[in-house]
Amino acid sequence: MSLPSKHEKRRCPNGVVPGDESMFSNVLSEHNFSLDESPDWYALQTRARFERRFNNPLLISNPERLVPVARERRRWTDRYETVELPMFPGYVFVRAVLKPADRLAILQSSGVFGFVTFNGSLACIPNRQIGYLRKIAEHSRPWSAYRYIADGPCVRVCGGELEGVEGILAADKAGKKLVISLGPMQRSVAISLEGVEFERI
């Protein structure tokens, strides 16, 4: 299937070239795709508020399992509490070599809907983007969900705790933002560029 010409040249690639959302599927059989024998990052779609509870034995001991979160202090009637909010509700990132039997076992796990796919194949999440998400989470950098954008001028953070993080430059009433878009998931998150040095790339 050929993609529209407007997606052939892109200023800031985000993994899989986006197209019609109908091309995405969340459930795979064990026969309709192939996978190289090397560890890559994939996205699992889960039930709401199930991201941190996913405990399939195939992955529970695997350090390459990621649910990037932000910590937020909230006030209740009688107390303050720090809560953790996932950047991508309903998704778990995993890095592994997945054999057909492993895939089937994971798909049969309670609360798991399936792998994010594109054109019938597992959709890989670029390692560099996983690294960016980790940096934002580790340094408790404020972030916000953002409308999905697939293309635009690219920028890179220069210096500070987020040095090297790259994304698409966007702007709204709140000011300039760096947007990280995950093409296979059609999801984006943004961080403010206020007080942050950056350069166009």
Side-chain angles (χ1 to χ4, degrees):
M1 177 175 180
S2 60
L3 294 172
S5 59
K6 67 179 180 180
H7 294 311
E8 291 177 358
K9 294 182 179 180
R10 299 174 52 182
R11 298 168 65 187
C12 190
N14 296 296
V16 175
V17 176
D20 189 334
E21 278 194 308
S22 65
M23 298 167 68
F24 289 83
S25 168
N26 285 321
V27 179
L28 296 178
S29 74
E30 58 178 317
H31 303 294
N32 64 354
F33 65 90
S34 61
L35 183 65
D36 292 334
E37 295 298 310
S38 61
D40 290 300
W41 283 101
Y42 306 99
L44 275 176
Q45 190 172 14
T46 71
R47 289 197 333 238
R49 296 181 295 277
F50 196 81
E51 307 90 356
R52 305 291 294 276
R53 296 167 53 197
F54 175 63
N55 61 353
N56 187 283
L58 290 169
L59 296 170
I60 193 64
S61 61
N62 187 345
E64 298 298 316
R65 181 174 61 126
L66 178 68
V67 181
V69 298
R71 293 165 183 82
E72 183 176 297
R73 189 169 174 79
R74 289 188 173 182
R75 181 178 181 180
W76 304 100
T77 305
D78 58 346
R79 66 190 186 283
Y80 284 93
E81 281 192 6
T82 299
V83 297
E84 293 186 337
L85 304 174
M87 288 186 187
F88 300 96
Y91 290 95
V92 176
F93 298 103
V94 295
R95 189 185 193 193
V97 174
L98 302 179
K99 310 284 187 181
D102 298 337
R103 297 195 297 266
L104 184 58
I106 291 173
L107 291 173
Q108 293 175 338
S109 300
S110 174
V112 172
F113 294 140
F115 291 97
V116 173
T117 70
F118 183 80
N119 278 348
S121 297
L122 275 175
C124 292
I125 309 298
N127 288 336
R128 67 182 184 282
Q129 291 190 317
I130 294 293
Y132 301 159
L133 298 178
R134 274 182 160 160
K135 268 193 174 184
I136 294 170
E138 287 171 1
H139 295 288
S140 298
R141 183 76 184 188
W143 60 271
S144 60
Y146 203 79
R147 62 181 176 82
Y148 177 70
I149 53 178
D151 195 10
C154 281
V155 294
R156 178 190 297 120
V157 175
C158 303
E161 58 192 20
L162 298 184
E163 182 174 12
V165 173
E166 299 177 3
I168 299 172
L169 178 64
D172 55 26
K173 293 181 180 179
K176 294 181 179 179
K177 298 180 181 294
L178 182 151
V179 179
I180 299 173
S181 294
L182 304 186
M185 297 164 56
Q186 300 278 286
R187 298 287 187 276
S188 298
V189 294
I191 59 173
S192 172
L193 287 173
E194 182 178 358
V196 176
E197 292 189 16
F198 64 92
E199 61 183 0
R200 290 180 180 253
I201 55 177

